[in-house]
Amino acid sequence: MDQIVEYFLAALLVIGGVFAIVGSFGLLKLPTTMQRLHAPTKATTIGVGSALISSMLYFWFFEGTLSWHELMITLFLFLTAPITANFIAKAQLHLAVKPEDLPPSGVGTAWATFDPEVESVSPTLIRDRAPD
Amino acid sequence: MILNYALDFAFLCFGLGLAMNLYRVFRAPGVPDRILALDTMVINVLALIVLYGVRTGSGVNFEAALLFAMTGFVSTVAYCKFVLRGDIIE
């Protein structure tokens, strides 16, 4: 039984490591920013989740203490990864796409980051840069 | 013991990923790429902390990992908010 669990944990660790390195390599290699956004937010999250689950099972089977911290961290990461990706994508749209090239927001007003009514503080990092 | 070899492999993978992210932080075409690389660095370091906990067999590291995850998320959102609005708390 211990042998089976050990092989299972080793497989989880190896899968997690491969996913993590694929995510980080994709961050280097993919051509545009919007494509680069996909690699870390999906592959790396899966990889670290796999490592965390492996750690939880290790402490359960070999140390006899079941700790829920890893599950909490995994859930937290899986909940926050899409939010992070959404924010970074919005920042990229804000910096690289001109306001008139954006699709309509669907609510009648302009996009919130470009709407002068909504905007109380002027953004400092806008620069004229062609989209990737 | 095969688990030790798997742990070594995972350490290697996450460490290499961390090195790639560090390169991306210094050499990036734009600000969102740097933010993304920092966020990925936080996730990789989180995995390294947890793997170190498995290697040493102590459960003290998990609180640190949890706090690290929260700090990383909040800092990423703050960076993006600054890029979007020019201010963090309006």
Side-chain angles (χ1 to χ4, degrees):
Chain A
M1 184 59 195
D2 272 6
Q3 197 74 17
I4 300 170
V5 171
E6 200 177 323
Y7 275 106
F8 180 66
L9 292 185
L12 265 184
L13 278 178
V14 169
I15 290 170
V18 168
F19 265 105
I21 206 165
V22 164
S24 296
F25 188 66
L27 180 61
L28 277 189
K29 271 299 164 192
L30 287 175
T32 69
T33 302
M34 280 304 185
Q35 289 171 5
R36 276 195 290 274
L37 199 55
H38 286 290
T41 54
K42 295 175 184 66
T44 308
T45 309
I46 289 286
V48 77
S50 173
L52 286 162
I53 296 296
S54 161
S55 161
M56 183 177 90
L57 293 177
Y58 173 82
F59 278 99
W60 189 13
F61 279 109
F62 293 104
E63 308 279 332
T65 56
L66 178 57
S67 77
W68 295 101
H69 285 87
E70 287 98 327
L71 207 60
M72 274 174 63
I73 299 171
T74 314
L75 279 178
F76 184 78
L77 280 180
F78 276 44
L79 283 177
T80 55
I83 303 172
T84 308
N86 188 20
F87 260 104
I88 296 173
K90 276 190 87 170
Q92 167 69 11
L93 277 179
H94 186 73
L95 289 178
V97 182
K98 293 198 202 92
E100 56 266 27
D101 290 340
L102 287 171
S105 62
V107 291
T109 57
W111 280 50
T113 49
F114 290 112
D115 199 347
E117 293 293 318
V118 182
E119 202 164 53
S120 60
V121 186
S122 68
T124 54
L125 285 175
I126 301 175
R127 62 181 76 125
D128 293 320
R129 199 155 60 84
D132 289 334
Chain B
M1 195 172 172
I2 192 171
L3 197 57
N4 272 324
Y5 290 112
L7 259 181
D8 282 338
F9 180 76
F11 267 118
L12 187 74
C13 285
F14 282 106
L16 270 178
L18 197 61
M20 289 182 198
N21 296 149
L22 196 61
Y23 175 80
R24 184 46 98 188
V25 168
F26 282 108
R27 290 286 177 85
V31 181
D33 274 289
R34 288 180 213 269
I35 302 172
L36 184 58
L38 267 179
D39 186 56
T40 317
M41 275 182 85
V42 167
I43 295 180
N44 277 333
V45 167
L46 193 73
L48 283 179
I49 292 173
V50 170
L51 290 180
Y52 182 73
V54 173
R55 171 55 59 82
T56 54
S58 80
V60 190
N61 298 309
F62 298 130
E63 278 85 2
L66 194 56
L67 285 175
F68 211 76
M70 290 180 183
T71 319
F73 171 64
V74 170
S75 64
T76 308
V77 170
Y79 270 127
C80 289
K81 187 88 175 145
F82 180 72
V83 171
L84 281 172
R85 303 288 287 164
D87 202 351
I88 297 170
I89 302 170
E90 294 174 32

